[in-house]
Amino acid sequence: MNMEKEHYLANIAFFSELSAQEITELAREFRWEAYPEGVLLIKQGQRPSSFYLLCEGSVEVLKDEHFGSPKVLVAGPEAVFGELSLVTGKPYAYSVRCLENSHVLSISADDFAQILLRKPQIYQSIIEELAEDLIEANQMLSENKYKEVLRSAIKQTQYQDKFYGIWGSVRTTKEVERKLSEIREQSGNLLVLGERGTGRQMMAWYVHQNLFGEAAPFVVVDGRRFDQQWEKMYDKLFDVAAGGTLFIQEIDDISPQTQLALAQIIKARPLKCLVIGSLQIQQRVTEQKLQPELKACFYHHYTITPLRDRKRDIPVLAQGILEKLAQKNHRKTPILTSEATQLLLSHHYRQGNVTELIQVLERSFFLASENTIGLEQIFFGPTSEQVGHKINLLRWPFFENLLKKGTFLPWLRRISAVLFFLVIAGMLFSPHLSIIMKIFTLVWGIWWPALAILSPFLGRVWCTICPFSTVMNYVQNKFNPHRSVPEVFIKYDYLIISTLFLLVFWVEIITDMRSNPLYTALLLIVIQLAAILISVLYPRHAWCRHFCPLGGFVGTASIGSLIEVRSDPAVCLNKCTTFDCYVGKGNVKGCPMSQHLPYLDNNLDCKLCFNCVRNCPHDSVHVNLRFPAREVWHLKRVNQGYTVFIGILFSIILPISYYEPLQKIWPATQWKVSFTLAYFLSAILGGMIGWWLGKTFKTKAASTRIKLVFAFTPLALAGHIIYQIKFIPGIKALTLGLSHQTLGGFSTTYIPATLALQGVVAITGIALTALTVIIVLVKQHKRLKN
Ligand code: SF4
Ligand code: SF4
Ligand code: SF4
């Protein structure tokens, strides 16, 4: 169906400059509509509501200016209707009636406007098409009307919409005002210089607005396309911009010959309009292609300082941008928490300066459901990238139905929660029943080792059906909490998770919980109650993200797993305006882990709930099968505090492996004291080493040091799996026989299955760690060389 749409759309002249990928995205916005013979598709004089592409059938175009005899034109497939009205905002200039049953592709005015905003080249193409029609036929509109169309079209550019009118601190505002007064006092053209995203366009619009007012023509042309687009008409631009501003972006990208011609026209018509040129200063690139003759046409120069060199402006800019956004969207101005402001201040803005800050704040404004913007709503830096070959499981209808449409997952969760409570009740009230004892043995002997063994391969798959989470969800639906998670929990979640993990593990060993159903039930109840408490206090699954010790363990283990949930950032950034993956849609809540999919680039905090798969309206979310461990060497951002957790995981392997066996030999008090001391001292030491290796914790960027610490995760996990293997029921009675032929027949060596499995796990852990460390170092070496 989409391919058919793509076929029709690709033939429209406006879309001719779009790539195949862009056409595919565009096709998703259009819908099929069927109209029977005689029905009016468009009615003359009505406000524009849609744009239509006729695919099958035929229509008559009626233009009934004086309600007298209509002018009739018959049109067939591939004819388009309504685009002019959508661009100009004026009522339809004609009616269209179906002559037979017809099929059209249509898009609403709002969706079309969004597309024009996202893909200005379409806009440009429509204008060019119109211009061509006008120049060639000169029938539909007079010369004046053409100018009007051009002006109104150009006015619709992002300037009005994106202009926040805030420059920053008093000092920066004064600098801008001083320049404006200079231009007022001494007329002359203006050249604005600055890095990408510093606000050169805003400066141009600001000067224009102040000198001529918003209603005056503000004609924007792009130097990179100037030669092709305005080759035969660039002198006309001055007529169109008369009484206002001609703003030429990237003026040095115009060819030298055209620059000279332009310089002559500017000199010949000095007072026709104000010319503002903008020129990008790139870091480490000093060469400019601006011809001296054209440069001489600009009396005033203004250089905008990069945002990273005037960070004092950031709080003022942020406040102003949020106030304007709130006004536009009829909402209260959200408050930026001090940690969020700190995060904004600590960023370097090398990607896009002020534009980057604006984008981050706009996104955070729409993501924040409450009137506070905290760390969880600020997404910085590049979006995740598609690395290496992956297989999207959602391509197969079985997985698509399972994860996207069906009710299988919700039911599985309910069943797992019911079973879980039955087991807890059994352990509490009837621990002597043999079925309960069997289940109890399985919990410790299969479930717990399985978590350690499976998470490195299948990620947080346990979280998909976790009963704690199902109960938490149920309770949270009743209370619907709104207060934000305190920043201190967000900032130090790695410490909370590490501490809780240590405590749970310690209690488990010290109370010999593996042979005590009552204690086991109590531990599970305490965890469940804590999860409920947190979910009643804070929205989403704050427990899973910032507290759950089990989640911390499986999250760390799943960093290199075979499965990942990721989106296509190109679709997210170019198409999405609703951010349903984060915000939620209908009955399906937004990401419980506060993840915004285009920025999700590691598995640590993705609990595989698949809500985003269900919520995304653009099919941007993929569930990929990938090469294990690769994520570690491609890490871009990660919660660096987890280096502490990895250090702790590593360091407790020794005490749990060597002290626990002494439990049966030493007197209980002596053993408990010695074990506790060895356990916590090792943990503190391991945590401190992890902290030292992972510091400074100031940004989320994954440095080589961080990657190297994460590279040791397979080894730390191997240690824990080796520890768990001996608890698998019946494994101690198993032996593996290795036979080899000798002169006298076969000779067999028997190895305990525990030992064999432990050996395999140890070798796998060492090999994966060594491989990851080598690849991280090689990649770093290559980066330095380049
Ligand atoms: S993080 Fe903890 S509570 Fe949340 S789903 Fe995973 S195991 Fe369950
Ligand atoms: S994943 Fe979907 S909902 Fe989320 S930002 Fe991307 S396109 Fe929008
Ligand atoms: S919503 Fe998506 S990103 Fe968030 S936890 Fe669930 S699967 Fe992961």
Side-chain angles (χ1 to χ4, degrees):
M1 210 61 166
N2 216 45
M3 278 175 67
E4 209 180 335
K5 287 188 197 170
E6 287 166 28
H7 163 74
Y8 284 112
L9 292 174
N11 287 336
I12 301 185
F14 317 145
F15 302 146
S16 58
E17 288 201 13
L18 298 187
S19 65
Q21 168 70 20
E22 286 171 320
I23 291 279
T24 308
E25 288 167 22
L26 200 65
R28 294 197 196 114
E29 307 275 355
F30 279 79
R31 57 185 179 274
W32 284 109
E33 284 176 6
Y35 290 90
E37 182 188 339
V39 166
L40 272 183
L41 202 61
I42 279 179
K43 190 158 185 251
Q44 186 176 347
Q46 265 185 356
R47 304 293 312 163
S49 58
S50 296
F51 161 57
Y52 300 94
L53 164 63
L54 180 64
C55 300
E56 281 170 29
S58 61
V59 296
E60 57 182 351
V61 181
L62 309 155
K63 193 161 170 65
D64 192 3
E65 280 170 52
H66 307 292
F67 302 101
S69 57
K71 291 179 191 167
V72 181
L73 186 84
V74 174
E78 297 194 1
V80 289
F81 308 103
E83 79 287 2
L84 181 59
S85 296
L86 292 189
V87 169
T88 60
K90 295 192 172 148
Y92 290 126
Y94 47 79
S95 301
V96 177
R97 183 162 42 213
C98 296
L99 288 174
E100 56 184 308
N101 292 345
S102 302
H103 282 97
V104 298
L105 278 174
S106 86
I107 185 168
S108 72
D110 283 350
D111 288 347
F112 194 61
Q114 291 292 344
I115 289 176
L116 292 184
L117 274 179
R118 291 199 308 264
K119 307 218 178 300
Q121 70 268 40
I122 298 179
Y123 194 84
Q124 197 71 43
S125 303
I126 293 178
I127 299 299
E128 279 168 22
E129 283 280 307
L130 276 175
E132 269 172 33
D133 287 353
L134 291 166
I135 291 165
E136 281 168 19
N138 198 20
Q139 279 175 346
M140 282 174 65
L141 299 161
S142 67
E143 178 73 5
N144 278 338
K145 276 218 166 159
Y146 154 60
K147 285 182 194 167
E148 204 179 294
V149 171
L150 195 55
R151 279 175 193 166
S152 65
I154 288 162
K155 264 202 263 169
Q156 282 194 17
T157 57
Q158 59 199 23
Y159 296 92
Q160 284 145 311
D161 208 36
K162 290 283 174 196
F163 181 63
Y164 285 99
I166 307 135
W167 301 105
S169 62
V170 178
R171 196 166 123 195
T172 312
T173 310
K174 273 189 180 162
E175 276 173 23
V176 175
E177 291 298 335
R178 198 179 313 125
K179 182 51 69 183
L180 183 65
S181 319
E182 277 175 29
I183 300 171
R184 261 208 192 98
E185 283 160 22
Q186 175 68 57
S187 66
N189 298 321
L190 168 68
L191 187 64
V192 188
L193 300 100
E195 277 182 20
R196 187 157 64 97
T198 41
R200 289 169 292 148
Q201 299 162 357
M202 284 209 292
M203 180 69 185
W205 177 251
Y206 184 68
V207 171
H208 166 80
Q209 229 188 3
N210 277 280
L211 293 188
F212 309 110
E214 273 195 20
F218 182 70
V219 178
V220 187
V221 287
D222 188 342
R224 286 165 298 196
R225 293 152 60 97
F226 194 88
D227 288 73
Q228 302 99 301
Q229 286 177 353
W230 303 100
E231 187 194 0
K232 296 184 193 111
M233 334 173 15
Y234 53 73
D235 57 333
K236 279 200 174 161
L237 277 172
F238 288 80
D239 294 336
V240 178
T245 303
L246 172 62
F247 176 40
I248 310 175
Q249 295 173 305
E250 319 303 351
I251 194 166
D252 58 336
D253 276 335
I254 300 175
S255 71
Q257 298 85 332
T258 311
Q259 282 192 36
L260 294 179
L262 206 54
Q264 280 175 2
I265 297 172
I266 295 176
K267 277 183 203 147
R269 302 167 156 198
L271 298 174
K272 191 97 184 170
C273 62
L274 171 72
V275 181
I276 303 182
S278 90
L279 202 149
Q280 193 183 137
I281 309 173
Q282 289 175 26
Q283 281 172 287
R284 291 189 243 128
V285 178
T286 47
E287 186 203 348
Q288 283 170 8
K289 298 165 283 171
L290 189 63
Q291 298 297 308
E293 289 80 356
L294 187 56
K295 197 173 180 180
C297 296
F298 294 97
Y299 181 79
H300 300 284
H301 288 202
Y302 184 70
T303 303
I304 307 180
T305 315
L307 190 57
R308 63 180 171 279
D309 296 335
R310 51 181 175 107
K311 288 201 169 174
R312 62 178 183 276
D313 289 352
I314 290 174
V316 189
L317 277 169
Q319 183 60 26
I321 290 165
L322 291 176
E323 275 170 16
K324 292 264 161 133
L325 278 170
Q327 262 173 26
K328 258 196 239 171
N329 294 281
H330 311 293
R331 271 173 54 179
K332 264 172 82 179
T333 308
I335 296 161
L336 263 180
T337 63
S338 57
E339 283 80 4
T341 311
Q342 214 44 51
L343 184 62
L344 292 178
L345 284 166
S346 65
H347 189 68
H348 290 299
Y349 301 94
R350 287 188 200 283
Q351 298 267 329
N353 276 291
V354 180
T355 315
E356 194 181 352
L357 177 68
I358 291 175
Q359 280 164 359
V360 169
L361 287 168
E362 285 179 344
R363 195 167 282 272
S364 65
F365 178 84
F366 291 110
L367 293 181
S369 54
E370 299 308 312
N371 279 322
T372 308
I373 293 179
L375 294 176
E376 290 192 332
Q377 283 86 35
I378 302 235
F379 292 90
F380 257 128
T383 51
S384 60
E385 41 180 286
Q386 308 276 354
V387 203
H389 188 67
K390 297 168 181 180
I391 301 167
N392 179 11
L393 296 179
L394 295 179
R395 269 199 249 140
W396 293 323
F398 171 74
F399 285 106
E400 198 188 10
N401 284 331
L402 193 73
L403 304 179
K404 203 169 177 180
K405 297 173 187 156
T407 51
F408 176 72
L409 275 185
W411 274 108
L412 199 62
R413 285 177 188 137
R414 279 177 213 138
I415 292 168
S416 115
V418 169
L419 288 177
F420 177 71
F421 280 104
L422 286 178
V423 170
I424 289 188
M427 287 195 288
L428 270 181
F429 303 114
S430 314
H432 48 277
L433 289 181
S434 77
I435 176 83
I436 296 297
M437 274 321 283
K438 274 186 191 147
I439 294 173
F440 171 71
T441 317
L442 286 182
V443 167
W444 282 113
I446 299 285
W447 170 75
W448 191 208
L451 268 191
I453 295 167
L454 290 182
S455 302
F457 300 99
L458 298 180
R460 297 179 76 153
V461 74
W462 162 251
C463 294
T464 310
I465 53 157
C466 169
F468 294 126
S469 172
T470 309
V471 175
M472 212 162 68
N473 230 3
Y474 179 77
V475 177
Q476 197 170 50
N477 284 344
K478 305 270 170 228
F479 287 86
N480 206 9
H482 286 293
R483 58 166 79 82
S484 329
V485 181
E487 306 285 346
V488 64
F489 291 157
I490 298 174
K491 216 167 159 189
Y492 297 110
D493 56 1
Y494 64 93
L495 275 185
I496 301 171
I497 287 173
S498 303
T499 312
L500 290 178
F501 181 81
L502 270 179
L503 285 175
V504 169
F505 220 103
W506 175 73
V507 168
E508 175 207 319
I509 294 177
I510 213 87
T511 58
D512 196 15
M513 211 175 269
R514 286 173 188 269
S515 49
N516 193 324
L518 179 66
Y519 287 172
T520 304
L522 287 177
L523 176 70
L524 295 176
I525 290 172
V526 168
I527 293 178
Q528 181 66 83
L529 287 177
I532 289 175
L533 177 71
I534 296 294
S535 56
V536 165
L537 289 175
Y538 307 115
R540 303 186 189 246
H541 290 185
W543 168 261
C544 300
R545 174 98 194 244
H546 306 296
F547 296 87
C548 181
L550 199 55
F553 179 72
V554 289
T556 311
S558 67
I559 276 272
S561 74
L562 290 168
I563 294 182
E564 65 171 21
V565 173
R566 296 289 183 276
S567 70
D568 181 345
V571 176
C572 299
L573 298 188
N574 293 321
K575 280 189 83 170
C576 194
T577 51
T578 51
F579 312 135
D580 294 326
C581 59
Y582 187 96
V583 178
K585 196 172 67 184
N587 291 334
V588 187
K589 290 188 175 172
C591 175
M593 303 292 273
S594 305
Q595 295 291 353
H596 187 31
L597 264 288
Y599 293 87
L600 175 66
D601 52 11
N602 69 70
N603 274 1
L604 193 62
D605 289 322
C606 168
K607 56 180 264 185
L608 295 184
C609 68
F610 304 111
N611 280 10
C612 52
V613 176
R614 288 172 182 247
N615 279 334
C616 177
H618 304 292
D619 292 333
S620 172
V621 182
H622 301 173
V623 178
N624 296 320
L625 264 187
R626 61 180 192 179
F627 188 78
R630 183 160 52 197
E631 184 156 282
V632 175
W633 60 82
H634 284 296
L635 270 182
K636 286 237 158 23
R637 274 175 297 244
V638 72
N639 185 341
Q640 298 173 337
Y642 269 80
T643 52
V644 172
F645 187 69
I646 294 170
I648 289 175
L649 270 189
F650 236 117
S651 62
I652 60 172
I653 293 172
L654 272 184
I656 60 175
S657 304
Y658 290 103
Y659 269 82
E660 209 202 347
L662 298 177
Q663 191 178 11
K664 308 251 167 20
I665 306 165
W666 285 7
T669 7
Q670 188 191 346
W671 175 80
K672 280 183 184 172
V673 173
S674 320
F675 171 74
T676 304
L677 279 177
Y679 178 82
F680 283 107
L681 286 178
S682 308
I684 291 170
L685 185 67
M688 282 171 67
I689 294 174
W691 179 84
W692 177 74
L693 287 170
K695 66 183 180 180
T696 59
F697 294 179
K698 272 192 181 149
T699 66
K700 288 193 171 179
S703 64
T704 302
R705 271 158 70 132
I706 301 280
K707 287 183 196 173
L708 283 175
V709 178
F710 274 88
F712 278 87
T713 314
L715 202 54
L717 287 172
H720 281 265
I721 294 172
I722 288 170
Y723 167 74
Q724 298 289 348
I725 281 173
K726 59 178 183 280
F727 298 112
I728 296 176
I731 197 154
K732 285 187 184 149
L734 278 181
T735 48
L736 296 178
L738 285 177
S739 293
H740 68 280
Q741 206 169 7
T742 60
L743 286 175
F746 278 97
S747 161
T748 306
T749 315
Y750 291 97
I751 312 167
T754 319
L755 199 65
L757 257 177
Q758 287 176 333
V760 171
V761 172
I763 291 169
T764 314
I766 293 170
L768 266 179
T769 296
L771 180 76
T772 317
V773 168
I774 290 170
I775 294 179
V776 169
L777 290 175
V778 168
K779 284 199 165 279
Q780 172 67 4
H781 179 67
K782 275 192 187 160
R783 207 170 299 135
L784 289 178
K785 241 173 105 184
N786 291 336

